[in-house]
Amino acid sequence: MTAFKPSKILGTAALASLLIALPALGQDAEIVEEAVTETLSEGVSADVVFILNSFIMILGGILVMWMAAGFSMLEAGLVRKKNVSMQLVKNVGLFSLAAIAYYLIGYNLMYPLGNWTIGSDETGGYVGAFGIAILEAVGITADGADDFGYAATSSDFFFQVMFCATTASIVSGTLAERIKLVPFMIFVFVLTAFIYPIQASWKWGGGFLDAMGFLDFAGSTVVHSVGGWAALAGAILLGARAGKFNPDGTVNPMPGSNMALATLGTFILWMGWFGFNGASQLAMGSVGDVADVGRIMANTNAGAAGGALAAMILTTMIYKKTDLTFVLNGALAGLVAVTAEPLTPGLGTAAIIGAVGGVIVVVTVPLLDKLKIDDVVGAIPVHLFAGIWGTIAVIFTNPDANLGAQLLSIVVVGVFVFVASFIVWAILKATMGLRPSEDDEALGLDKAEIGVEAYPEF
Amino acid sequence: MTAFKPSKILGTAALASLLIALPALGQDAEIVEEAVTETLSEGVSADVVFILNSFIMILGGILVMWMAAGFSMLEAGLVRKKNVSMQLVKNVGLFSLAAIAYYLIGYNLMYPLGNWTIGSDETGGYVGAFGIAILEAVGITADGADDFGYAATSSDFFFQVMFCATTASIVSGTLAERIKLVPFMIFVFVLTAFIYPIQASWKWGGGFLDAMGFLDFAGSTVVHSVGGWAALAGAILLGARAGKFNPDGTVNPMPGSNMALATLGTFILWMGWFGFNGASQLAMGSVGDVADVGRIMANTNAGAAGGALAAMILTTMIYKKTDLTFVLNGALAGLVAVTAEPLTPGLGTAAIIGAVGGVIVVVTVPLLDKLKIDDVVGAIPVHLFAGIWGTIAVIFTNPDANLGAQLLSIVVVGVFVFVASFIVWAILKATMGLRPSEDDEALGLDKAEIGVEAYPEF
Amino acid sequence: MTAFKPSKILGTAALASLLIALPALGQDAEIVEEAVTETLSEGVSADVVFILNSFIMILGGILVMWMAAGFSMLEAGLVRKKNVSMQLVKNVGLFSLAAIAYYLIGYNLMYPLGNWTIGSDETGGYVGAFGIAILEAVGITADGADDFGYAATSSDFFFQVMFCATTASIVSGTLAERIKLVPFMIFVFVLTAFIYPIQASWKWGGGFLDAMGFLDFAGSTVVHSVGGWAALAGAILLGARAGKFNPDGTVNPMPGSNMALATLGTFILWMGWFGFNGASQLAMGSVGDVADVGRIMANTNAGAAGGALAAMILTTMIYKKTDLTFVLNGALAGLVAVTAEPLTPGLGTAAIIGAVGGVIVVVTVPLLDKLKIDDVVGAIPVHLFAGIWGTIAVIFTNPDANLGAQLLSIVVVGVFVFVASFIVWAILKATMGLRPSEDDEALGLDKAEIGVEAYPEF
C-alpha cells in the first residue's frame, strides 16, 4: 500500500505562479486572473482528497466483504454434499467473529500509531497497542480528523477489517469436512485478534519488516500466505479426511458437490479482488492516484486471466482433460501472485506473474497429496505457494524491492504464523479435540453438528 | 436519512479569512495569498458536492438493487424444490413491477415537494402528490438542477425506487409456496404504488411523523417493518401451507431445498445493505459526510456480525445444533436492527444492537409457529420484530431521539400498513382467491403455474 | 458513449464574472470577493474531472466484469446437468482469453488514436492500429496523462476490455452442449482480438460509422448484436444438439438444469448493466454528467423491468403458464434494447423500449426453433434481435439520430461480423472439427472433456 503524498494536493506549477502573481496585485490584473484560474482548474483541495481517499477504501471494503461470499460459495461447492451446511455456518461465523475480534483487539495491534506495546518506532515494533477500535466522532470537520492528510478512520477500519476476515476464510477451506465447529471458531478468534494483526503491523503498521524495506502492496504475504500457513498447521495436526489416502499411497478423489457454486465463488473472489488490490492504493485524490488505481485493476485482471489460462493449458496437457477445479484455482493463484505488486508491472508482465501462479497450483496440488496433507479446496497451493511466488516476483518490476528483504519477510512471517498457529491448534486438540467422532464424520457434519442439511430433497 | 447541510460547502474558517483579507487588497499581498490558498486547499465546491452526493446515491441504488437478488436467492433456498421457480418468478416480477409502480405513482406520493394532495407542509401532510416521476433534462447545469444543494433527481429516484422494491421483496418470502402469482403481483402493485410511498412520505417526504421528531435513518420501520406488516396481514388471511401445522399443535418442519443459495442470498443482502444504510447519508461532499458514510458501513457490518453470532450461540445452546437458518436470519435481523440508526452508535454498541436482533429471531420464530402463522423464510421476525427493536434502540445512541415519537411512529405505520394490506388481501381473496387449489399446492406451484421446474434433472 | 466536454470544467457564468471583476481590483473589493467565492464554489477543477471520469470507468469495469459471472450462471443454469462443468470452463476461459487477446491486439485495433492501419481519420478508417496496450506510467501528473481532458488510459482500458469479453460471453450460451472446448477458445481469440475491435473502432474508435452519424451509446449493436451474429454463424455451422429437433418438425424441450442459477445470472447481469450503460457516459466530472449517469441508471432499470413484465404477461397469455426462462430473457432483452440509448428517453419510454424487447424474445424464440437453429439459452433473440430493435429505437428519443445511419450500421456490422465469424467457424470445422463425437455428446461434455462433473452426488 502506498502512503498518501500531500505534495499532490495542489499542482506545484499553478501554486508557484499564484505566489509570484499575487504581490503584483493591482499592477497586472491579467496575471492574477490567470494564476487564480489556473490554480482553480488544476488543484484538488485537501477536503476533496480526504473524501476521495476515504471513498476508495469504503468501496474497497464493500468489495472485500464480498470475497467472504466468494470463499463461502467456493468452499460450499468443493466439499461433499453432507458437509455443505457446516461449511456455510463456518464461513458466516468466521466473518462475523473476525469483525468483532478485529474491533476489540486486532485493529490497534495492527496500527499501533506509535504506541507499540513491545518495541518502538525507533527500534521497530513487535506487538502493537492494546485497545478497542474507536472511530472519529459523527460529522467531523478537517480539524477533527485523526489523520486529515490520509482518510477517515472509519473508512480505514472498514477496509482493514475485511482483510483480516479474508485470512480466516482461507483457513476454512483447507480444513473442511473434518473439523468441529467450536475449536474452529476459537482458532478464528485467535487468528483475527492476534496472529494476523501482529504480523500485519510489522509491515502495514510501520513495524520492523516495513523498516527493512519489505514490499507487499496488498498482501500476498501479509494476508494470503498467513491464511495458508495457519491452514497448513491445522491440516497437519488435524490429519486427512477418513478414506482420503489409502495405505498404498494412492488417493481417493472426493469431488466437490457443486461446481457451479465453486465457479460462482471464484468469480466473486475475482470481482472482490479489484477492491482488495485497487483500494490498497489507499488514495484516489490525485491524477496519479486514480491512474494508478486503474493500472492496478487492469493488472489484477490480467493476473487472474494469466493464472486461469496457464492452469487450463497445463492441466489439459498433463491430464488430457481440462479440470475445472484447476482452472478456478489457477485464476485465484494468479490473483494471489499479482497481489504483492499489482501496480508496477505492465499488463503482459502481470499476466505472466499470474500464469506462474497458475502453474504452481497445477504442480503443487499433487505434491500435497504425496505428503498426505489433505487440503480440501487447494487453499495452500493457491494462497501460500502462489503468495510466496508473488512476494518474490515484486523484485522483477519494482526497483525499490530487494530480494533479501522479501525472502526474510516471507520466512519471518511464515515462522511466526506457522508456529503460533500450530501451538493454538495443538492446545485445542489437546483440550477439546479438533475432530468430530468417526461416526459423525461418516454421517456428515451437517447432520451431526448443524441439524440442517444443505440439499435435503436431493 | 440526513439532510444536506449547505454550510459545509466551504470551510467556514477559510471563508472567513478570505472575507477579512480581501478588503486589505494591495496593502498586504501575503494575507490575500494565504487566504486564497487556504480556501482553495480546504473547500469543496458546490458542483463537486452535488456530484459526490449524487454519486453515493447512484452507488447505493446499485447495491440496493442487488438486494433483490439476495432476497431471491434466500427465498429460493428456503422453499421446497417444487416451488422454487415460482419463487424466482415472483422475485423478478415484483422487482420489475415495483420499478414501474413507483415511477407511475409512488415517487411523487412519497416526495410531494410541498404539493401534498391531502394536508400541507404547515399542517403536516397525509398523502403526497399524484403524478409520474420526471427526471431532470439531459446535461443540466447547476441552474437546471431541481435541488442543486442536494443531488440529481435521477440519482434520488434511482436510490429510492430500490427501497420501494425492497419492501415488496420482504412480503414474498413469508407467503411462499401457497399463493397464486396474479393476486400476489396485484398486491405488490398496491404496496409499491400506494401503501409504501404514503407512509414513507410521513417521514422521508417531510410529513407529520418527521415533524414530530421520528428518527429512522435508513428504514427499520419505514421499509422493513412495512414489509413485515404487509406480510403478516397476508399470512393471516392466506393461512399456513397444507400440512405445516398438525391438529395436535406440533409443527412439521419443511426444510428449505438449498442452503447454499440461502447463504448466498444472505451475503448478497449483507453487501447490499452497505448501500442501503451507507448511501442513506444522502451526502458525500464533505469531510464529515464521508467519515459518516464510513462509520455507517463499519456499524452496519458490526450489527450483522452481532446478529449472526448471537443467533449462532443461542441456537447452539437451546438446540445443541448450530442451525444455519437461524444464523442467516440472525445476521439479517442484526442488519435490520441497526438500520434505524447506523450512524451514532459506536462499533460495540452497533454489534450489541445487532445481537439483540439476532436473539429476537431465535425467540420469536417458535412464537409464530405457536400462533400458527406460517412465515416460510422467517421474514416477520427478521424485518418486523427486529425492525421495531431497531427503531426503539435509536434512543440509546442518538440524543435527538425521543421514545414517544419512536413508539407512536411504530404504531401509526403499523396500523396503517397492516390495515391497508389486510383490506387489499381480503379483497383479492374474496374476488380471485389467493390460494392455488389443494392439488396444485401438493403438486408444487412450479408445475402448476410456471411450467418450468427449477431442478428438472435432480 | 459521449465525449468529454471541457467547457464544463468551470461554470461559465462564474468564470465570466471573475474575468469582469479582476481588472476592478482595488476599486471594489467586494466584487472580487464575490467573484472568487462564486468561482470556488461552482467550478470543478480539471484534476477532479479527470479523477471522477477515470473513477466512473473503473467502477464500470468492475460491474461489467461481474457480467461474466452473470453469463456463467445463466448458462450453467440453462444447460443440462451433464454439460454444466464444460459451460463453466468455457466461461472462465473465454473471459480470461479475451483479457489477453484484447491487451495484445484488440485495444489498439479498436482505439487507433489516428494511426489507422487501413484508412485514415480523413477518409474514415477500416482497421485500427496494431500494437499491444500500454498504460500510462505509475504516478503520472496531468502532464503525463495521455488525454488529460478525458481520463486515465488504465481506466479506459479496464472498462473496454470488459466490453470485449461480454461479446464472447454471448456466443458461449448459444453454442452450449455440443461444441468442443478447443475450437471454441480459438474462435473466442479471433473474435476478441480482431472481429469485435475492428467493428467497434468504426463507431467508438471514430471510424466511418461514427463519421456517418451512427449512434449506439453503450452497444446494442457494437457489443450485443455482434455477439449475436457470431453466435448465429456458429449455430448454423454447428447444427442442433442431438435429439433437439424431430424429423416431423416438432421440438424436444431440453429444460435447463438449475433455474435458481439462471435467475441469479440474470440478476447479476442486471446489476452489471448499470456499469455497462452508466459508465458509458465516460464522464462524471460535472453536474450534467452525474445527473446523466443517474438518468442512465434509472432508465436501464426501467428497460429491464419493462422487458421482464412484457415477457411475463405475454407468455402467460400465450401459454397459460408464466415461463420463468422467458421472464429472465425478457429482462435481458429489455436491457439490450435500452443499451443503444439509455440517456435520452424518459422513464416511461425506456420501459416501453424494454417491453418491446421482451415481446421480441417471446415471439422469436419459437421462430428460431422453426428454422431449426438451436440456441440453447436464447442469446440470439436477446442480444441480436433486441439489439437491432434498440438500435433503431434511438431515433424515437434522440434528435441527433437518423434512421438511415442506424439501419446502415446495423447492416454493415451484421454483414461483417456474420461473414467473418462464418469463415472462422468454417475453417475450424474443416480442420479440427467443431463437434464432439456423438458418444461424447450423449455422455455429456463434462465427463468427455472436463473430467469433473458439476453435481457428482446428485
Side-chain angles (χ1 to χ4, degrees), chain A residues 290 293-294 297, chain C residues 53-63 155 158:
Chain A
V290 80
V293 171
M297 298 295 179
Chain C
N53 289 357
S54 301
F55 172 70
I56 192 68
M57 281 191 273
I58 289 170
L59 182 64
I62 296 171
L63 288 168
S155 66
F158 182 65

Side-chain angles (χ1 to χ4, degrees), chain B residues 9-10 15 18-19 22-25 36 39-40 44-48 50-52 54-55 58-59 61-63 65-66 68-69 72-73 76 84-85 88-97 99-100 103 133-143 145 148 152 154-155 157-158 161-162 181-182 185 258 261 264 268 271 446-458, chain C residues 8-11 13 25-26 29 32-34 36-37 39-45 48 52 55-56 59 63 66 79-82 255-261 263-264 266-268 270-271 274-275 284-299 301-302 304-306 308-309 312 316 320-325 327-328 331 343-344 346-349 351 455 458:
Chain B
I9 293 172
L10 288 173
L15 195 60
L18 184 70
L19 297 182
L22 277 164
L25 228 64
V36 170
T39 308
L40 281 171
V44 184
S45 82
D47 281 24
V48 172
F50 182 91
I51 293 169
L52 294 174
S54 300
F55 172 70
I58 289 170
L59 182 63
I62 296 172
L63 287 167
M65 175 268 158
W66 187 223
S72 189
M73 292 302 109
V84 171
S85 288
L88 296 166
V89 166
K90 277 163 62 185
N91 271 279
V92 178
L94 73 86
F95 184 74
S96 301
L97 189 57
I100 304 299
Y103 149 67
I134 295 175
L135 309 181
E136 288 146 333
V138 174
I140 53 159
T141 59
D143 297 335
F148 184 58
S154 59
S155 65
F157 175 82
F158 182 65
V161 71
M162 300 308 175
L181 181 60
V182 174
M185 290 293 285
N258 193 325
L261 280 191
L264 175 66
I268 292 173
M271 183 197 202
D446 292 2
K447 279 189 184 157
E449 292 203 31
I450 306 303
V452 176
E453 288 176 88
Y455 310 106
E457 296 178 79
F458 294 88
Chain C
K8 285 188 174 175
I9 293 173
L10 289 172
L25 226 64
V32 181
E33 182 191 314
E34 212 171 276
V36 171
T37 310
T39 308
L40 282 171
S41 68
E42 286 195 11
V44 183
S45 82
V48 172
L52 294 175
F55 172 70
I56 192 68
L59 182 64
L63 288 168
W66 186 223
V79 301
R80 285 168 298 171
K81 205 173 132 189
K82 63 182 177 182
S257 53
N258 193 326
M259 285 303 116
L261 281 191
T263 304
L264 175 65
T266 302
F267 272 118
I268 292 173
W270 194 322
M271 183 198 201
F274 294 127
M284 201 176 69
S286 72
V287 166
D289 280 317
V290 81
D292 285 358
V293 171
R295 273 185 77 92
I296 295 167
M297 297 295 179
N299 280 336
N301 197 57
L309 290 176
M312 203 168 168
T316 309
K320 310 298 167 205
K321 306 252 166 159
T322 314
D323 188 317
L324 173 58
T325 56
V327 176
L328 301 181
L343 176 58
T344 52
L347 287 165
T349 312
Y455 309 107
F458 295 88

